[in-house]
Structure formats: structure tokens, C-alpha cells
């Protein structure tokens, strides 16, 4: 077989260096100019998997060397099979194949089996009923198992995390009795369905610094099922099975089912005709080159080589033809007929290789590598698409096929672009423009954030979602509650006072309408070109293409999530009437926010066993949902300030208390830190204060944040109870636990330093003996009571006596003495007949 260079020397190639992040490093990759990052990464993934013929992976070159290496490997195999008449033919074939792949004109990939292999059941037989029941059980069982596995995996990860975060003895950290956080996580894991053996394994992993990966619990996908079904005998069993699984393919006869089964397992490729269709010679050359590569691959395994066309729907629209029209179907049929004729000539020239099958098929991976065109008989994916500029900016644009179609129809391109895409800004938008937004309190920061989301948003409500413009702005400036702002249904613009009419007008101005079916200036016939085809139009196109191809396509009959099994049966019957050779029911997934409105269950009524009631006591339990309210702190409140240094970083802890002494707020101030870290700690303290005021127990916060580990950390100076901490949060909640909860277990000072009497005294003497009360002078109350807070309410002669030394009793010494009332000044400071306040002598 002879080949000559055609595409390699005719098609110009503009390249640019793209930076792509891999698992180990950043790499510079050469790619055609204008390709999106997703497309480049898809080609790199293919290069890693499709070119492993014994040599090391290529890290440089065009698309990481994948096209070059693949073309060389296929050429060597073809030469070994005796395909080429001369050596230059092999060189020309290799250059052409490498050029086609490098330009993105074709994408080659592995097969995707329709089922698990084996015998094909026939609908209406016991074997079919058994196979369908097994498919339903496996599909639905896997879906439930995946949800449960993800839930259990998260709980087991929390178990290991509770052990990893624990600071202290490893045995104590792994013991639920000594680690409250671990106990809670283990109970939650058990409630989620995890066995105690799995929980024990998670604890062991936590001790080693690891954690269970939820992906361990993912199950392999369930293979589909292909069956032969008499078109005249379609029934509810087949429709319901397809509706429940989305994996049942029905073919019109057993021979078609077997051919589809073989074709699905073989190598496949998609050829983009958008660039090649203008020159019949280029299209034929590309089919020969790609087809021979597929045939060489299939020869190694005896599989079927499959080639499909891409971009047919775009070519129809570019010519100004409607997908649903007879002219559109004729244009598609002509392209598929030409491809089939070239394939027959190729088979005749290579009798020793498997035949090349031309058939419509859909493959998302191949479509991504080609830039997202339609595959097989599919219509244009969308009238608008996202494009990526050289500096990474993403914009909404009209695809080239839409622009070509508008030009062919003589439409105003600028008017059509504005109608479909909008202006992309709110500067002069009616109703919700920049001026109106500024009037409602929006700053330029929030407006810029919302406008940056316009290319991806389907509505202005999505662009102004709290997650985009900031929950803090929505709560602090607009006045919404934080709970409502974080809810998925919160409408920022409506809360700010904008009417629906204003939002709709601004939405059309900024986002456009998304289609061209009502574009001004287009005639009714022209609007049909840009109208999305219905099921009947898609079936008619598929039937027209199947007549010109080697094998019927497996047509997906798409149904909404809310469709009933009866609608699935109606769709199957419509496909049969259109002459479709094979089809499959595919239901859309449930919306992310889908939830059933379920009423609260009623309490079961007690059965009446005694018909004669002489006396009855009726007790009615009424459950009242109490709205949690915030307990406000008094305007003038007490507390304390603790200065300390953690790892050399100064920390000031301020507390505020209720009148009963319960903690109600904290403030954390740090100095000589970055503004971001200081702001983060300040806002963290605010969130803790709000939680305390809404009734969250302090011990919950203490258990959650002690033993957290991050810098700064290390020794603590300036605090008589906490001498080391693993982080700022660890120090703060150790201090709060010791001071407000009596959690002496969180204090890590030397035992000799924990004999303080609460008044700042009580530390051991130089000789190691604890100080006793008679050796310590009374302390004035002004040392512990703020004079400004008391406003003179506390008498000047009030003192605190050194009662209750903690360690003196352990040495058998007297720590307290009887106190009496001084007859001179009335102070309760008389010890041993001497008043500690005025110095008078008298009996207590």
C-alpha cells in the first residue's frame, strides 16, 4: 500500500508553550494555539496510556510526544505486517498520522464494551428476565453502596484524624475512654454502619499518621447488558429495566447485537470533518491514515476497528441548514457515504487486516480531545461555549459553526452576539446596574466578583450568590442572618430589594438569552437552524445516517429525571418506528438540590384493649420547638486579660463574662504578625464568642481545639498553668479550660508550680517547702477587683486573706487560721488578735 505526504505539508501549525501541573512537577508542553487547558490535559492523559510500548514517557515535544511516539509505534507494527510496498510509504504514513493527531483532527482511544461479554440474551426468554434482574440488582445495589461507602469513609477518616490530632501518650490517644474526640468519632462511625474492626483499623492508621481513604470503599462499575429484542414485542419489562439502570442496550436482532458487542470492544477513533470537508482529497487521506492505524491495532487482538465522524452537525449549521430538515439529513448522509466508500477501498487494499467499520457513536473522551464537537449523529452541543484566552481568562462566545451559519444566512453578527451572550457587564444594565448596586451598599469589590462569575452563571442570582460576593458582606452589610446566607436557596438580589422585573431586565442585558430562536432580524426559516432538535428529529437523523454506514448506532434516548417508566416505553416505540437499529434509555441524574417534601411521622396510636373504662388518666406530651436565642452579654462586664508568649509570639487573651461568671466572649490579639493571620485569629474569636452566646458549651470548644498542631508552637511564657502548646488555639483553649472549667488535666506546668492559691501566690519557697498562710501577707482587693469596674462600690479596706494553700496540707502544716471582726474598723482581717487592715489589737 502506498502513501504520500498531503496533510503534513499543507496544514500550518501554530504552537504555544503551555504549563501543565503533573503529580510530581510543572512541565512545559507544546500545544496548538487556542486549545483549552482541559483539551491539552486530555491529550496528555492519552499520551501516558497509549504510548507505553517499552520506552520511557516523553516529557517534552508536541503534546508531551504522544502523537510522535504513537505514530512511530503503529508504523513499526504495520511494517511488520507487510502493509507498505516501499520504505518511503511507511515514512509518509508516519508523518501523516503524527500530523493528524498533533493538529487534533482525529482522536484514537480504546474500546468501551457495552456488556460483560458472553452470550447475548433475547428479550422474552427466561435468560433475558434473569439477566435483567441481575443488572437491576447490581446497578441499584452499587448506587446505594457507593453512597453508604462515602458516608462511612468520611466517618472512619474522622476517627483516624481524632487520633492524629491528639498530643500525648500514644496509648491514651488511641483509647476512646481517654480521648473524648475519638470516642465521639468512633460512635458516629458505628452509627453510620462501620464495623468495630474497621474502626480499630482506622485508629491504628491514625497512630501511624495515616487515615483511611474514602476511595478505598468505591466499587467497580457494573457492566451493561446488550440484548436482542423484536421491535414488535417491546413491553414494560424492557422499558422498566432501561429506566431503572440506564445500561440496557436493545438491538433489533441477534446479528446486530453481536456486531455491536464486537465493535464496542475494539479500538475506536473519531475524525473531525470541520477542517477536512472543504477538500475531498484531504478527507479521504485522513480516513485512510486513521483507518489503517485502527486496523493495525485491531489485528493484534482480532477485534473490530471502528471509526466515527465528528463535527457533522457543526458542518450542517455552518452551511445554514437546519438539523431537522431534509437538506440537513441529506448533507449528513453524503458525508457518511463518502467515509464508508473510502473504508471499503482501504479494506480492499489491506485484505490481511480486520475490516474498518464506519458507524456513528458517542464518546465523551474522544469529543474532549477534539475540542468538544458533536460526535456521530448528535446535534450541536450548545449555541454558546466557553473559550480560554492566552492569559487564562474564560469568556462565553458563540461557536464557529454558529457564526458561520449566521453569515451564511446574512444575519447581523454583532446583534446576534449581543442577543445570545449579552454585554457581559452590569455597567449600564437596566434595573441592576452599578449605580443601583452602589446605592444598596455593594462596593466595587462585590460587583467585580459577581461580574467575574458571569461567564459561568446561568442567572444573576448565581453570580451574586453569597459564596461569590462573600457571606460576611451579606450578613454584615445587607443584614441577612448567617444561617440564611449559607443556605443554597438564598437570593441576594431579592434580599437587597431588587424586583424580579429588574433582575430579569439586567439578566438579559448582561447574560443574553442563550439562544437565537427569537433573535431579531432572523426569519422564521432561519431560526430553525438554531433550534434544538427534539427526539423525533434526532431519530430521523440517526436513521438517515445508519442507512449510509456499516453498523447501526446505539442511540441514547434521553429522558428527564422525572420521567416515568411509561415514558421510557413510549421513547423505545418511537425509536422502532423511526427504524433505529439499537437504542438505550438514559435518564438524567437527580438535581443536586432535589429533596422530597416529607411530612413528619405521626405518633402511633395506642391500641384499646379494655372496652370498659371507669377512670382514665390522659397525658399529652407536646413537643415545642424552641427557637434558639442569643444570650446577650451585659454592657458592662467583667473578665480578665492574660498575656503570654507561645513560641516567642505574644498573645493577649481577653475574656468577657456574664454576671454569673460564665464565659461569654473572647478576644485574641497578636502583635508583630501578618495582617492576614491577625485578622483570621480575630474573626475566629468572634465566631467562638457567637457560639458561646448561643449556648454552645465551652467544653465542646475545648475538646475540639486542644491538641491542634500548627505554627507558632512551643514553650509558653507568662502563664502559670500552661507551659507549652502545640498551637495558638491549643494554648487558648487550655487556658480557658483551666480557668473556667477546672480542667487541671490541661495544665502542663511542673507539679511544683501548680500549688498556687488562686491569688497569684503559693509557689514553693527556695528550699522546696510550700508557703503557708501565716507566712503570706494579706493582699489588697484592688489587685483582683477592677476599681473602674466596681466604681468605688468595693471598700478601700477590703483585703483577700491567703486561705487554702493547696500544698501546705500535704506537708502537715497549718494553712488557715480563724478570722475575726476588728472592733475598730469592722474588717474581717483579724488573725491572732491583730487586725490586718488597721493594725488594732482585739479579739476576733
Amino acid at each position: 500500500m502506498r502513501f504520500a505526504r498531503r496533510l503534513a505539508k499543507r496544514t500550518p501549525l501554530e504552537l504555544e508553550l503551555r504549563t501543565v501541573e503533573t503529580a510530581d512537577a510543572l512541565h512545559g508542553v507544546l500545544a496548538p494555539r487556542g486549545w483549552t487547558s482541559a483539551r491539552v490535559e486530555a491529550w496528555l492523559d492519552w499520551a501516558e496510556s497509549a504510548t507505553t510500548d517499552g520506552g520511557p514517557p516523553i516529557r517534552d515535544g508536541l503534546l508531551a510526544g504522544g502523537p510522535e511516539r504513537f505514530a512511530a509505534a503503529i508504523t513499526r507494527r504495520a511494517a511488520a505486517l507487510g502493509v507498505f510496498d516501499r520504505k518511503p510509504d511507511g515514512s509518509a504514513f508516519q508523518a501523516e498520522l503524527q500530523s493528524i493527531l498533533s493538529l487534533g483532527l482525529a482522536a484514537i482511544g480504546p474500546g468501551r464494551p457495552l456488556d460483560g461479554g458472553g452470550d447475548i440474551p433475547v428479550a422474552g426468554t427466561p435468560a433475558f428476565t434473569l439477566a435483567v434482574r441481575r443488572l437491576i440488582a447490581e446497578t441499584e445495589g452499587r448506587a446505594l453502596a457507593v453512597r453508604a461507602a462515602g458516608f462511612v469513609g468520611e466517618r472512619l477518616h474522622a476517627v483516624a484524624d481524632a487520633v492524629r490530632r491528639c498530643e500525648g501518650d500514644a496509648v491514651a490517644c488511641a483509647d476512646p475512654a481517654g480521648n473524648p474526640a475519638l470516642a465521639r468519632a468512633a460512635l458516629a462511625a458505628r452509627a453510620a454502619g462501620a464495623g468495630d474492626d474497621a474502626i480499630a483499623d482506622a485508629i491504628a492508621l491514625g497512630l501511624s499518621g495515616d487515615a483511611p481513604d474514602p476511595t478505598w470503599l468505591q466499587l467497580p462499575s457494573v457492566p451493561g447488558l446488550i440484548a436482542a429484542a423484536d421491535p414488535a414485542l417491546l413491553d414494560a419489562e424492557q422499558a422498566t429495566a432501561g429506566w431503572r439502570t440506564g445500561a440496557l442496550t436493545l438491538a433489533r436482532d441477534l446479528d446486530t447485537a453481536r456486531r455491536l458487542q464486537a465493535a464496542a470492544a475494539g479500538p475506536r477513533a473519531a475524525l473531525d470533518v470541520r477542517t477536512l470537508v472543504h477538500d475531498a482529497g484531504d478527507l479521504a487521506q485522513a480516513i485512510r491514515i486513521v483507518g489503517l492505524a485502527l486496523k493495525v491495532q485491531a489485528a493484534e487482538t482480532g477485534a473490530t476497528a471502528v471509526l466515527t465522524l465528528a463535527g457533522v452537525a457543526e458542518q450542517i449549521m455552518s452551511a445554514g441548514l437546519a438539523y431537522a430538515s431534509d437538506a440537513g439529513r441529506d448533507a449528513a448522509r453524503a458525508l457518511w457515504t463518502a467515509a464508508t466508500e473510502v473504508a471499503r477501498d482501504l479494506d480492499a487494499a489491506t485484505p490481511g487486516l480486520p475490516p474498518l467499520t464506519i458507524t456513528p457513536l458517542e464518546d465523551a473522551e474522544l469529543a474532549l480531545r477534539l475540542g468538544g464537537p458533536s460526535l456521530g449523529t448528535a446535534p450541536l452541543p450548545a449555541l454558546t461555549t466557553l473559550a480560554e484566552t492566552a492569559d487564562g481568562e474564560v469568556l462565553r462566545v458563540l461557536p464557529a459553526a454558529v457564526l458561520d451559519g449566521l453569515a451564511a444566512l446574512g444575519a447581523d453578527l454583532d446583534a446576534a452576539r449581543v442577543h445570545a451572550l449579552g454585554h457581559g457587564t452590569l455597567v449600564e444594565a437596566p434595573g441592576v446596574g452599578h449605580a443601583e448596586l452602589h446605592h444598596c451598599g455593594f462596593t466595587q469589590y462585590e460587583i467585580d466578583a459577581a461580574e467575574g462569575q458571569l461567564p459561568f452563571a446561568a442567572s444573576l442570582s448565581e453570580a451574586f450568590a453569597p459564596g461569590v460576593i462573600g457571606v460576611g458582606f451579606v450578613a454584615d452589610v445587607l443584614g441577612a442572618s448567617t444561617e440564611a446566607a449559607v443556605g443554597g436557596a438564598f437570593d441576594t438580589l431579592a434580599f437587597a430589594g431588587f424586583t424580579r422585573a429588574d433582575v430579569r431586565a439586567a439578566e438579559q442585558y448582561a447574560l443574553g438569552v442563550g439562544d437565537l430562536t427569537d433573535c431579531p432580524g432572523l426569519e422564521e426559516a432561519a431560526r430553525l437552524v438554531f433550534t434544538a432538535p427534539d427526539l423525533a428529529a434526532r431519530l430521523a437523523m440517526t436513521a438517515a445516517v445508519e442507512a449510509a454506514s456499516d453498523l447501526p448506532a446505539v442511540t441514547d434516548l434521553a429522558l428527564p429525571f422525572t420521567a416515568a417508566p411509561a415514558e421510557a416505553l413510549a421513547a423505545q416505540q418511537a425509536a422502532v418506528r423511526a427504524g433505529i437499529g439499537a437504542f438505550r434509555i438514559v435518564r438524567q441524574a437527580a438535581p443536586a438540590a432535589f429533596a422530597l417534601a416529607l411530612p413528619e411521622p405521626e405518633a402511633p396510636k395506642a391500641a384499646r384493649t379494655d372496652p370498659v373504662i371507669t377512670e382514665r388518666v390522659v397525658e399529652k406530651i407536646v413537643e415545642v420547638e424552641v427557637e434558639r436565642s442569643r444570650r446577650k452579654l451585659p454592657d458592662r462586664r467583667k473578665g480578665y486579660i492574660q498575656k503570654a508568649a507561645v513560641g516567642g509570639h505574644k498573645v493577649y487573651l481577653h475574656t468577657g463574662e456574664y454576671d454569673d461568671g460564665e464565659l461569654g466572649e473572647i478576644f485574641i490579639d497578636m502583635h508583630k504578625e501578618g495582617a492576614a493571620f491577625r485578622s483570621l485569629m480575630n474573626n475566629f474569636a468572634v465566631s467562638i464568642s457567637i457560639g458561646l452566646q448561643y449556648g454552645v458549651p465551652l467544653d465542646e470548644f475545648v475538646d475540639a481545639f486542644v491538641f491542634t498542631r500548627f505554627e507558632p508552637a512551643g514553650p509558653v511564657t507568662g502563664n502559670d498553668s500552661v507551659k507549652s502548646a502545640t498551637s495558638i488555639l491549643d494554648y487558648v483553649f487550655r487556658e480557658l479550660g483551666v480557668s473556667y472549667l477546672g480542667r487541671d488535666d490541661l495544665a502542663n506546668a511542673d507539679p511544683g508550680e501548680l500549688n498556687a492559691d488562686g491569688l497569684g501566690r503559693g509557689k514553693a519557697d527556695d528550699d522546696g517547702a510550700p508557703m503557708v498562710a501565716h507566712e503570706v501577707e494579706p493582699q489588697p482587693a484592688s489587685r483582683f477587683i477592677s476599681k473602674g469596674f466596681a466604681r468605688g462600690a468595693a471598700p478601700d479596706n477590703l483585703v483577700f486573706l491567703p486561705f487554702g494553700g493547696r500544698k501546705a496540707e500535704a506537708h502537715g502544716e497549718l494553712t488557715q487560721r480563724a478570722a475575726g471582726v476588728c472592733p475598730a474598723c469592722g474588717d474581717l482581717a483579724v488573725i491572732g488578735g491583730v487586725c490586718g487592715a488597721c493594725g488594732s489589737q482585739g479579739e476576733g
Side-chain angles (χ1 to χ4, degrees):
M1 189 173 183
R2 295 195 172 188
F3 290 94
R5 296 174 185 262
R6 183 185 181 96
L7 298 171
K9 64 180 182 179
R10 281 193 182 184
T11 308
L13 186 62
E14 296 184 9
L15 302 179
E16 62 181 354
L17 185 64
R18 304 287 289 273
T19 302
V20 178
E21 182 177 2
T22 61
D24 52 355
L26 292 174
H27 297 282
V29 177
L30 283 177
R33 187 177 302 277
W35 282 22
T36 63
S37 299
R39 187 179 184 184
V40 172
E41 291 176 2
W43 275 97
L44 293 178
D45 291 341
W46 169 80
E48 291 287 341
S49 61
T51 59
T52 54
D53 57 349
I58 300 176
R59 292 294 187 187
D60 54 7
L62 181 57
L63 295 183
E68 176 186 357
R69 188 168 181 177
F70 179 82
I74 291 296
T75 303
R76 288 194 298 269
R77 297 174 192 171
L81 294 172
V83 172
F84 306 117
D85 296 337
R86 305 171 303 164
K87 187 175 182 180
D89 295 330
S91 299
F93 168 79
Q94 179 176 342
E96 291 287 275
L97 180 58
Q98 180 178 340
S99 177
I100 290 173
L101 295 177
S102 300
L103 292 168
L105 300 178
I108 300 176
R112 301 183 185 280
L114 293 173
D115 62 353
D119 296 335
I120 297 176
V122 178
T125 64
F128 175 79
T129 301
L130 180 61
V132 163
R133 289 178 178 175
R134 183 183 299 112
L135 176 65
I136 293 174
E138 292 177 350
T139 302
E140 296 183 347
R142 180 188 180 278
L144 294 174
V146 166
R147 293 194 193 97
F151 188 62
V152 171
E154 293 176 359
R155 297 299 182 270
L156 292 176
H157 191 279
V159 169
D161 195 49
V163 177
R164 290 190 299 177
R165 289 174 54 190
C166 179
E167 183 74 17
D169 180 65
V171 176
C173 289
D175 184 5
N179 187 343
L182 173 60
R184 290 193 297 270
L187 290 174
R190 180 186 287 174
D196 285 6
D197 54 342
I199 298 175
D201 290 345
I203 294 174
L205 286 173
L207 285 174
S208 63
D210 202 351
D213 187 350
T215 58
W216 292 356
L217 302 175
Q218 296 294 324
L219 303 177
S221 59
V222 176
L225 174 66
I226 183 170
D230 188 342
L233 300 177
L234 289 176
D235 57 19
E237 180 186 25
Q238 302 156 24
T240 303
W243 180 85
R244 295 179 66 177
T245 65
L248 174 61
T249 301
L250 296 177
R252 60 190 170 199
D253 53 53
L254 191 58
D255 179 66
T256 301
R258 288 171 177 164
R259 294 172 61 201
L260 287 171
Q261 185 185 50
R268 57 178 57 184
L271 183 66
D272 193 346
V273 302
R274 291 176 294 180
T275 304
L276 303 169
V277 73
H278 303 293
D279 189 321
D282 288 349
L283 179 61
Q285 175 81 337
I287 294 174
R288 294 174 68 224
I289 296 296
V290 177
L292 180 58
L294 290 173
K295 289 162 69 72
V296 171
Q297 281 188 300
E300 297 181 349
T301 59
T304 301
V306 177
L307 177 64
T308 191
L309 301 183
V312 175
E314 285 84 348
Q315 184 59 31
I316 294 173
M317 182 175 291
S318 296
L321 303 176
Y323 180 95
S325 65
D326 292 336
R329 288 189 287 271
D330 291 341
R333 188 186 296 111
L335 284 173
W336 286 93
T337 300
T340 303
E341 291 175 352
V342 175
R344 298 292 74 78
D345 294 339
L346 180 63
D347 291 340
T350 55
L353 299 179
L356 177 63
T357 300
I358 303 295
T359 181
L361 59 83
E362 295 185 14
D363 190 306
E365 181 180 342
L366 297 182
L368 176 59
R369 284 163 51 199
L370 292 179
S374 62
L375 256 63
T377 61
L380 189 72
L383 292 180
T384 63
T385 187
L386 296 178
E388 186 176 343
T389 62
D391 57 357
E393 184 181 2
V394 178
L395 302 173
R396 279 202 314 159
V397 298
L398 293 178
V402 175
L403 295 175
D404 292 342
L406 290 169
L409 295 170
D412 186 342
L413 296 183
D414 292 335
R417 186 180 289 108
V418 170
H419 179 79
L421 303 176
H423 293 80
T425 180
L426 294 170
V427 174
E428 298 180 357
V432 192
H434 281 203
E436 291 82 0
L437 290 169
H438 284 306
H439 181 72
C440 291
F442 290 82
T443 67
Q444 196 60 41
Y445 175 83
E446 288 79 31
I447 296 175
D448 290 344
E451 289 186 333
Q453 195 68 18
L454 290 179
F456 315 100
S459 65
L460 278 188
S461 297
E462 291 184 13
F464 280 89
V468 176
I469 64 176
V471 176
F473 168 80
V474 175
D476 298 339
V477 178
L478 299 184
S481 65
T482 304
E483 293 80 2
V486 298
F490 186 80
D491 190 336
T492 305
L493 294 177
F495 187 84
F498 293 101
T499 65
R500 291 185 179 181
D502 290 338
V503 173
R504 280 196 299 267
E507 199 168 78
Q508 184 170 349
Y509 177 88
L511 299 178
V513 298
D515 61 44
L516 298 169
T517 55
D518 58 349
C519 179
L522 284 181
E523 299 179 357
E524 187 64 28
R527 293 179 181 180
L528 293 177
V529 176
F530 309 104
T531 302
D534 56 11
L535 178 60
R538 294 199 59 179
L539 294 178
M541 177 64 77
T542 302
V545 170
E546 285 183 359
S549 57
D550 297 323
L551 189 64
V554 178
T555 302
D556 288 342
L557 306 178
L559 295 178
F561 171 74
T562 55
E567 297 177 63
L569 179 58
Q572 290 180 343
Q573 293 171 343
V576 170
R577 289 194 298 270
I580 304 301
F583 46 81
R584 174 175 52 210
I585 296 293
V586 178
R587 279 175 71 206
Q588 295 178 355
F594 178 78
L596 296 175
L598 301 177
E600 293 293 332
E602 297 182 359
K605 297 180 179 180
R608 297 180 59 181
T609 57
D610 188 359
V612 179
I613 301 176
T614 57
E615 182 179 358
R616 183 185 347 185
V617 177
V618 178
E619 179 182 2
K620 183 178 182 180
I621 300 176
V622 180
E623 296 183 0
V624 179
E625 183 178 354
V626 179
E627 182 180 359
R628 187 174 295 277
S629 59
R630 184 174 180 178
R631 183 185 176 192
K632 295 292 185 180
L633 280 162
D635 294 335
R636 189 176 184 85
R637 45 189 175 267
K638 60 185 183 297
Y640 71 89
I641 301 175
Q642 172 70 59
K643 174 186 175 184
V646 178
H649 296 257
K650 290 183 180 180
V651 183
Y652 292 85
L653 173 64
H654 303 241
T655 68
E657 303 173 3
Y658 292 98
D659 291 337
D660 59 2
E662 184 179 349
L663 179 65
E665 68 178 357
I666 65 170
F667 295 96
I668 304 174
D669 293 329
M670 300 188 68
H671 296 275
K672 297 184 180 180
E673 302 292 339
F677 189 77
R678 290 201 310 272
S679 299
L680 182 63
M681 296 304 298
N682 289 340
N683 285 278
F684 173 79
V686 171
S687 66
I688 294 296
S689 302
I690 293 174
L692 292 171
Q693 293 166 26
Y694 272 99
V696 179
L698 175 60
D699 55 359
E700 293 290 336
F701 288 124
V702 171
D703 290 340
F705 293 108
V706 294
F707 303 120
T708 53
R709 182 186 297 274
F710 59 85
E711 294 296 332
V716 177
T717 58
N719 191 300
D720 61 353
S721 297
V722 182
K723 293 301 181 182
S724 66
T726 59
S727 66
I728 295 295
L729 297 187
D730 179 54
Y731 160 71
V732 167
F733 286 97
R734 283 180 184 270
E735 163 62 26
L736 295 177
V738 171
S739 299
Y740 286 96
L741 302 178
R743 291 283 300 273
D744 290 339
D745 58 305
L746 299 177
N748 50 21
D750 293 336
E753 297 183 3
L754 293 179
N755 60 353
D757 60 2
L759 304 181
R761 303 298 297 270
K763 187 175 179 179
D765 291 330
D766 294 338
D767 60 359
M771 299 180 69
V772 294
H774 68 276
E775 298 172 337
V776 183
E777 297 179 357
Q779 302 295 316
S782 59
R783 181 177 178 186
F784 307 102
I785 299 178
S786 170
K787 185 175 182 179
F789 178 81
R791 288 180 174 172
D796 295 335
N797 57 1
L798 182 62
V799 296
F800 282 96
L801 299 181
F803 293 162
R806 294 184 181 180
K807 299 298 181 180
E809 295 178 0
H811 291 73
E813 299 186 18
L814 181 64
T815 61
Q816 299 185 39
R817 295 191 177 189
V821 180
C822 176
C825 65
D827 200 288
L828 293 172
V830 179
I831 302 177
V834 179
C835 178
C838 65
S840 300
Q841 295 184 356
E843 292 295 327

